[in-house]
Amino acid sequence: MPIPELVLRAAEKQIGDYCERRVPERARYQVRLEAVTDGNTITIVERRAPWRPEYGPEWSSRGMVRFRYEPRLGTWSLFWADRHGRWHRYEFAQPSLDVGALLVEVERDPTSIFWG
């Protein structure tokens, strides 16, 4: 069951705005955050500029935070990625009807699991 269109667009807007605010303008030539939607998930991806020419022109990327929508319940859950790129449910935040409440927890990051 897909995410209702209005719920998806509202979540993409909130998460996209968060990504814009998180990285200062002066640093965006080196690092940026993007919200990537895939099915019932929206993932905040960190992209870094290539540091050496031998790496080519591609920005490196890794998933930082994932929000997963559960259509039957109408709630969003929060996930974090380990160093191997495997996703785990963040146990300190309950599923929420509002992705904004989960973004507050991501910004607060009391365990330093999202931003280090």
Side-chain angles (χ1 to χ4, degrees):
M1 176 184 236
I3 303 174
E5 189 71 23
L6 290 177
V7 172
L8 177 61
R9 295 296 163 235
E12 286 176 329
K13 171 92 170 94
Q14 282 184 288
I15 296 168
D17 289 349
Y18 175 80
C19 290
E20 282 291 314
R21 288 189 311 269
R22 181 77 182 146
V23 178
E25 181 81 34
R26 68 183 182 279
R28 291 185 188 158
Y29 73 97
Q30 292 180 329
V31 65
R32 62 183 181 223
L33 295 178
E34 297 176 1
V36 178
T37 302
D38 183 22
N40 287 359
T41 65
I42 302 174
T43 304
I44 294 178
V45 176
E46 177 186 72
R47 300 206 190 273
R48 292 196 172 264
W51 297 110
R52 291 188 261 168
E54 62 266 24
Y55 292 147
E58 298 297 315
W59 285 55
S60 64
S61 66
R62 69 181 181 116
M64 305 291 291
V65 182
R66 180 168 281 174
F67 304 88
R68 185 178 298 157
Y69 186 76
E70 176 53 57
R72 291 177 316 150
L73 302 173
T75 59
W76 291 94
S77 295
L78 186 57
F79 291 79
W80 61 276
D82 66 21
R83 64 188 176 127
H84 302 290
R86 290 183 293 241
W87 292 99
H88 306 275
R89 186 180 297 273
Y90 181 72
E91 62 189 63
F92 302 107
Q94 295 299 313
S96 176
L97 296 171
D98 177 23
V99 76
L102 298 177
L103 280 168
V104 169
E105 183 67 12
V106 168
E107 182 61 25
R108 200 170 73 88
D109 195 14
T111 62
S112 298
I113 207 162
F114 300 114
W115 308 117

